[in-house]
Amino acid sequence: MEITSVKVKKEEREGSRMKGRASVLIDDGLAIHNIRIIEGKNGLFIAMPSTSREVENENGETVTVHRDTVHPINPEVRAMFEEAILNEYNKTE
């Protein structure tokens, strides 16, 4: 698997830890959009695209559950994505 293209759009909003969004093209054949770039306590990290929905828990309470729609399966692939996206983020004006 090879990341063949990375596009980053910076988004600076007052009071928000989110710093931008990225789209990644894999093997010139699969696109992943809406990867968020977030400022954490230890620097920037990425958050993969996700959805949320309300479900009832075992106590009968309604809670919101977040689930990644696309995500790396192992640490090596996550590191590959993070490095490619953050490198492009740092080059973007």
Side-chain angles (χ1 to χ4, degrees):
M1 176 174 55
E2 180 183 346
I3 294 176
T4 50
S5 174
V6 177
K7 294 181 182 174
V8 168
K9 183 174 193 292
K10 288 188 174 181
E11 297 180 17
E12 298 287 335
R13 284 189 253 162
E14 189 174 328
S16 175
R17 295 184 324 134
M18 191 171 82
K19 300 301 177 188
R21 295 182 189 269
S23 294
V24 174
L25 185 60
I26 301 169
D27 292 333
D28 285 324
L30 176 67
I32 301 174
H33 302 288
N34 203 29
I35 301 170
R36 295 177 315 280
I37 302 165
I38 299 173
E39 180 73 49
K41 292 179 183 175
N42 299 317
L44 294 173
F45 67 93
I46 62 169
M48 299 304 284
S50 63
T51 60
S52 59
R53 64 186 182 110
E54 291 186 349
V55 297
E56 192 173 290
N57 68 14
E58 61 276 355
N59 298 326
E61 302 164 327
T62 300
V63 296
T64 303
V65 176
H66 301 277
R67 185 175 189 135
D68 287 348
T69 53
V70 175
H71 59 90
I73 298 299
N74 59 55
E76 293 81 17
V77 174
R78 174 168 283 285
M80 179 179 70
F81 270 77
E82 201 155 72
E83 180 181 356
I85 291 168
L86 296 182
N87 283 343
E88 188 63 27
Y89 176 86
N90 289 325
K91 288 193 265 180
T92 303
E93 302 265 334

